[in-house]
Amino acid sequence: MATPAIPLSTRLSARGLDGVTLLVLPAAIVLIALFVYPFGYGLWLSFRPKDGTLLGNYGKFFADPFLYDTIYTTLALAVPVTLMNLFLAVPVAFRVRLMRHQRLLTTILVLPITLGTVLVAEGMLNYFGPQGWFVRALTSTGLFNVSQIKLVHNYWGVFLSLLITGFPFTFLLTLSYVTGIDPGLEQAAATLGARAAERFRHIFLPLLVPGLAITFCLSFVQAYSVFPSAVLLGAPAGPTRVISIAAYQAAFEEYDYSMASAIAMIMGAVQLVVVVAVLAARNLFYRGPAAGAKG
Amino acid sequence: MTLLSSFKSLRLEGVSRDFGVVNALRDLTLEIKRGEFVALLGPSGCGKSTALNCIAGLLPTTRGQIMLDDRRIDTLPTEDRGFGMVFQNYALFPHMTVRNNIGFGLKMRGIPKNEAAPRVEEAIRTVRLDTQAHKLPGQLSGGQQQRVAIARAIAIDPPLVLMDEPLSNLDAKLRLEMRQEIRRIHQSLGCITIYVTHDQDEALSLADRIVVLRDGAIRQVGAPEDLYARPAHLDVAEFMGFRNRINGRVQARDGNRVQLTVAGTTLDGVVQEALTGDTAIAAVRPDDMVPVAPDAHGIDTVVEAIEYRGRDFFGQARSKTGDELFFRSEQRLAPGAAVRLGAEPHRVLVYPGA
């Protein structure tokens, strides 16, 4: 006797396809309309330069130091800022994980994210400007004069702005990785004779590296696409002429959308190279759960 | 860095620990001799883990001192005490191989590699993990992880090994195996082992001496045999498996022997804790409570449930006055059947009533 056939719908749902799967559709449509299509269009557009050749835009970019130097300028901002943020976030996270009022502190730290870069930049222009409180306070000590302290409209203005707006994000990610490590591991290391510095080096650091790598990538990508603060707080014609400014100028000053798309693609490629390199290095470390195994 | 390779004893003198207004540990005073296996036994929240953490240095004490021979150690940081500790969740370093986990303590003591390697191998052999030494903890089973945790703690040759419910995450069969293993390792080392557990079977089978804690204070200290046969207080008795509590009135006394009026009959027993008034509570193990002949002396009950245990039956019955009684039976009794239950007088322990 033939066994009765299992209905198609049952077989499909066993593979995870049922009515609920349809709920994915709105998100998928939005994603395609707002991300996949524009990206594909931009990529296609970047190979249709004004001179009619296929790689004209890319050739032009890498022939002109005024353009290709922006890659380096942006890296010179984004990499140190990201490292600095990580460097500051780790010790703070180590302290905060022991605190009882974590919520309050994290709320305060999240505020700069909600304010947005432009508001922070405006505030910094006043605060760090030649007539701002910060500079006045420093000069009133008599150790400096105004001309020695220049914290806006140069590299350091953008650096500080990225640090301030990027820190909360870096910190919150770092905190989640730090608190994910079983405190029992540190206690175990202590009973085995490891001092605080050794516990950090042999236990925490190796377990944190994979998380810090992810944090680095996300913070780096954020810093690499800096635009408002580079214009408002930096010297957009010189030391802080970042790659997004080059793209902006191509698009809205020269009205060369094809060139602007090419610059955007190059920008994406640079980010991708850095992220892939960091993630590849991450594979050299232990990446399993950071708790004391099962139990 | 190990404190003393030839020490004589560990003394806790009035060790207390407060958490805010809560006294988690009150005035713990205890002397443990070298070679002794001591179990800290008690229900959860009794302060046994707090005591262990204070000895290990993971929690600062509020009052009192801890001495290893004549050296005060409660003021030393954890890393300078040199005690081996086995954690409940093992706390193995997930990014290190078994061998590196076990060798970590020696490495931290700056012992040269060629000297440390044979000691690590010896510890690996002691816990029988020779074939697993190159693996990461995540690749091992629970029992194997447990043995790594023990090997890691003993590799540094500690004067004291502290174990915090090390078997609670294992299944029943493995727990029995590891119990014997822990006893064997303790005997081969000749150090002090302090073992925290809430399982009286574990404490009874492993320890030379059991310390029963309740609400942060010592209730009774004694050899397993003493605790099993003669619990000093009713709560200790309940914890040691005296599940039957029978309320009664004192009718007659003759030295230690006492006769209680219980549920319309009388029950003979032995006084364990000085009786203060008229009322008393008799505690009897289910295994000592058995059906007796209808003409014999005993409490009349009705069977409520019965379960097969293999060699005999375990029953649950209720007396006319509403007391719930657990008993052992050779025969399967039907629920609803009337049964008269009794116990040998020396198996009936009598404590003052509430």
Side-chain angles (χ1 to χ4, degrees):
Chain A
M1 202 173 84
T3 46
I6 299 163
L8 180 66
S9 62
T10 313
R11 276 181 286 152
L12 279 178
S13 69
R15 290 170 175 270
L17 279 172
D18 54 20
V20 180
T21 317
L22 292 177
L23 294 176
V24 172
L25 278 181
I29 290 166
V30 167
L31 207 65
I32 290 168
L34 294 183
F35 181 74
V36 178
Y37 171 73
F39 181 83
Y41 181 71
L43 187 64
W44 176 79
L45 199 62
S46 74
F47 292 111
R48 307 291 303 255
K50 282 180 177 169
D51 62 12
T53 58
L54 188 68
L55 293 169
N57 284 330
Y58 294 93
K60 195 173 144 199
F61 184 90
F62 288 106
D64 184 354
F66 191 59
L67 288 174
Y68 68 70
D69 272 355
T70 58
I71 293 180
Y72 170 76
T73 306
T74 321
L75 281 176
L77 264 173
V79 174
V81 160
T82 310
L83 287 176
M84 188 71 179
N85 262 333
L86 273 179
F87 188 74
L88 293 174
V90 171
V92 179
F94 264 85
R95 182 67 194 86
V96 169
R97 93 197 145 112
L98 306 171
M99 277 177 42
R100 263 193 277 159
H101 301 290
Q102 264 189 36
R103 271 268 176 81
L104 181 71
L105 187 94
T106 45
T107 310
I108 293 170
L109 279 166
V110 170
L111 275 178
I113 299 183
T114 61
L115 292 178
T117 42
V118 176
L119 191 73
V120 172
E122 289 293 339
M124 282 181 60
L125 274 179
N126 289 322
Y127 183 66
F128 290 116
Q131 290 303 312
W133 290 9
F134 186 79
V135 175
R136 282 195 191 189
L138 278 185
T139 49
S140 70
T141 61
L143 296 170
F144 307 93
N145 62 47
V146 181
S147 61
Q148 278 176 311
I149 314 160
K150 202 164 181 312
L151 291 173
V152 290
H153 300 306
N154 62 5
Y155 175 86
W156 294 109
V158 186
F159 185 94
L160 281 174
S161 145
L162 284 176
L163 204 63
I164 289 166
T165 51
F167 179 78
F169 180 75
T170 314
F171 169 76
L172 290 178
L173 268 177
T174 309
L175 181 66
S176 71
Y177 285 113
V178 167
T179 48
I181 295 178
D182 175 9
L185 296 182
E186 190 191 7
Q187 297 186 331
T191 62
L192 292 166
R195 320 207 145 267
E198 291 167 328
R199 300 199 286 265
F200 182 77
R201 214 185 105 213
H202 295 292
I203 309 300
F204 282 120
L205 199 56
L207 293 174
L208 269 181
V209 162
L212 292 183
I214 298 281
T215 311
F216 177 91
C217 289
L218 294 175
S219 304
F220 168 79
V221 166
Q222 239 183 13
Y224 199 80
S225 53
V226 56
F227 183 74
S229 61
V231 174
L232 292 168
L233 285 159
T240 69
R241 192 180 133 82
V242 292
I243 194 162
S244 56
I245 293 180
Y248 171 82
Q249 285 178 336
F252 300 108
E253 289 176 15
E254 294 160 21
Y255 297 104
D256 188 348
Y257 288 117
S258 174
M259 184 66 199
S261 298
I263 296 175
M265 289 303 146
I266 290 164
M267 183 173 162
V270 172
Q271 291 177 339
L272 199 64
V273 167
V274 172
V275 168
V276 167
V278 170
L279 292 184
R282 172 177 176 262
N283 283 340
L284 300 176
F285 290 86
Y286 169 83
R287 282 185 303 141
K294 60 187 129 181
Chain B
M1 233 179 356
T2 315
L3 282 177
L4 291 163
S5 47
S6 61
F7 67 102
K8 289 192 186 66
S9 69
L10 175 85
R11 284 200 319 279
L12 307 178
E13 296 171 359
V15 175
S16 306
R17 167 72 199 184
D18 303 340
F19 290 108
V21 291
V22 181
N23 310 115
L25 198 61
R26 295 184 224 182
D27 208 24
L28 186 65
T29 299
L30 190 67
E31 179 165 7
I32 304 171
K33 297 250 182 326
R34 186 174 183 183
E36 248 191 314
F37 194 122
V38 171
L40 300 183
L41 177 67
S44 57
C46 72
K48 54 192 193 298
S49 288
T50 307
L52 201 71
N53 286 330
C54 284
I55 298 171
L58 300 173
L59 264 183
T61 56
T62 313
R63 284 177 301 281
Q65 52 183 3
I66 304 172
M67 313 284 293
L68 196 60
D69 284 346
D70 295 326
R71 240 188 107 174
R72 187 166 177 190
I73 57 151
D74 58 298
T75 48
L76 294 176
T78 305
E79 55 264 31
D80 289 341
R81 297 193 187 185
F83 299 161
M85 181 144 174
V86 180
F87 292 82
Q88 188 172 12
N89 67 354
Y90 318 143
L92 299 178
F93 307 132
H95 58 298
M96 295 184 195
T97 61
V98 168
R99 187 173 277 117
N100 288 345
N101 260 285
I102 296 171
F104 187 77
L106 297 174
K107 189 174 161 191
M108 289 303 109
R109 279 167 174 68
I111 289 168
K113 269 194 186 144
N114 56 355
E115 208 179 302
R119 288 174 66 179
V120 171
E121 296 308 318
E122 196 196 321
I124 292 174
R125 267 199 309 279
T126 309
V127 297
R128 299 174 184 154
L129 278 174
D130 313 55
T131 55
Q132 317 288 331
H134 60 283
K135 291 189 180 170
L136 289 176
Q139 298 167 292
L140 302 181
S141 70
Q144 290 169 332
Q145 292 186 10
Q146 177 57 262
R147 283 186 277 172
V148 178
I150 294 173
R152 188 177 65 175
I154 63 174
I156 56 175
D157 218 350
L160 204 62
V161 178
L162 307 166
M163 299 195 180
D164 190 1
E165 309 216 16
L167 304 184
S168 59
N169 286 332
L170 302 179
D171 61 64
K173 183 171 169 284
L174 206 52
R175 212 177 294 169
L176 286 177
E177 278 174 32
M178 285 306 296
R179 220 192 253 179
Q180 291 169 348
E181 197 99 326
I182 286 173
R183 185 71 212 178
R184 178 178 67 80
I185 290 167
H186 168 78
Q187 274 157 356
S188 70
L189 291 177
C191 59
I192 288 177
T193 301
I194 302 181
Y195 188 101
V196 159
T197 181
H198 62 262
D199 180 340
Q200 77 273 22
D201 286 340
E202 237 170 77
L204 288 169
S205 63
L206 278 170
D208 300 317
R209 205 143 57 106
I210 298 176
V211 178
V212 181
L213 291 171
R214 192 187 177 212
D215 295 335
I218 293 183
R219 290 296 277 171
Q220 189 174 0
V221 182
E225 299 85 340
D226 290 342
L227 257 87
Y228 188 82
R230 288 180 294 280
H233 307 282
L234 185 62
D235 57 280
V236 179
E238 280 177 345
F239 202 71
M240 298 309 298
F242 288 78
R243 282 180 77 187
N244 291 313
R245 280 179 57 146
I246 309 157
N247 291 299
R249 299 190 82 79
V250 180
Q251 198 181 46
R253 275 197 73 166
D254 174 19
N256 243 356
R257 310 190 59 117
V258 64
Q259 191 170 54
L260 303 181
T261 329
V262 170
T265 177
T266 57
L267 190 64
D268 293 322
V270 185
V271 176
Q272 286 297 310
E273 189 182 356
L275 297 179
T276 46
D278 243 15
T279 57
I281 296 172
V284 188
R285 282 180 195 282
D287 277 344
D288 295 326
M289 191 65 109
V290 288
V292 292
D295 54 341
H297 209 66
I299 305 170
D300 285 320
T301 63
V302 175
V303 177
E304 287 193 334
I306 194 122
E307 63 185 59
Y308 184 52
R309 279 203 300 198
R311 233 178 42 196
D312 50 16
F313 293 89
F314 180 78
Q316 188 186 340
R318 199 170 289 277
S319 74
K320 284 174 189 151
T321 48
D323 285 328
E324 196 176 37
L325 294 175
F326 301 95
F327 66 96
R328 179 173 66 86
S329 166
E330 298 289 336
Q331 278 106 40
R332 181 184 282 278
L333 301 169
V339 63
R340 180 167 281 191
L341 297 175
E344 300 272 340
H346 70 277
R347 300 288 191 191
V348 179
L349 309 186
V350 179
Y351 298 91

